[in-house]
Amino acid sequence: VLAQYETNLPIRLVVNRARDAAEAETIARKMIFASQRFLGIDMGYLGFVTDDQAVGQAIRRQQDLLTAFPRSRAAADVRRLAAGVVEGLAGAPSPQPRYRSLVHRLRSLFSR
């Protein structure tokens, strides 16, 4: 879908339900290759979320993963990914916000 729009926004891939880092990196390599070759889109690899039963359990409970199972492997992966996004945003120049910035809100949300 993004290939249909002329955008300069960076595209980052998150591999979901990976068994481990090695599987996620293999999948990411294939996806990045395919997006470059067939769509002409460059994208970076942001990381992965482990295949974890806690995700399905949280869905059945109708709760977010970080609240329902904060110590699960998938929740740790989500926090790691969010920290990476926040770190990337922290280095970018931004206007002085009138209210708390997105970076500050993300930090407070994932530092619990």
Side-chain angles (χ1 to χ4, degrees):
V1 172
L2 288 173
Q4 295 176 358
Y5 299 96
E6 292 184 28
T7 178
N8 292 327
L9 296 173
I11 300 171
R12 303 291 179 256
L13 174 66
V14 173
V15 175
N16 194 26
R17 299 187 65 187
R19 282 189 298 250
D20 54 34
E23 179 185 54
E25 289 170 12
T26 299
I27 292 168
R29 245 188 338 274
K30 291 176 182 179
M31 293 291 296
I32 290 168
F33 173 80
S35 73
Q36 288 171 337
R37 179 161 185 198
F38 300 112
L39 301 174
I41 299 289
D42 289 323
M43 74 175 132
Y45 175 53
L46 186 61
F48 69 98
V49 177
T50 305
D51 189 10
D52 189 341
Q53 292 179 356
V55 175
Q57 291 173 355
I59 291 168
R60 284 189 291 282
R61 289 184 180 187
Q62 297 183 352
Q63 290 183 306
D64 67 275
L65 177 67
L66 297 177
T67 300
F69 299 99
R71 293 189 177 114
S72 67
R73 288 176 34 202
D77 294 339
V78 170
R79 282 191 294 278
R80 178 182 39 77
L81 289 167
V85 169
V86 168
E87 286 176 20
L89 292 175
S94 62
Q96 290 297 322
R98 185 171 174 194
Y99 302 101
R100 287 186 342 149
S101 70
L102 173 63
V103 172
H104 288 100
R105 287 182 288 179
L106 284 171
R107 281 185 182 150
S108 66
L109 179 66
F110 292 103
S111 64
R112 296 180 187 170

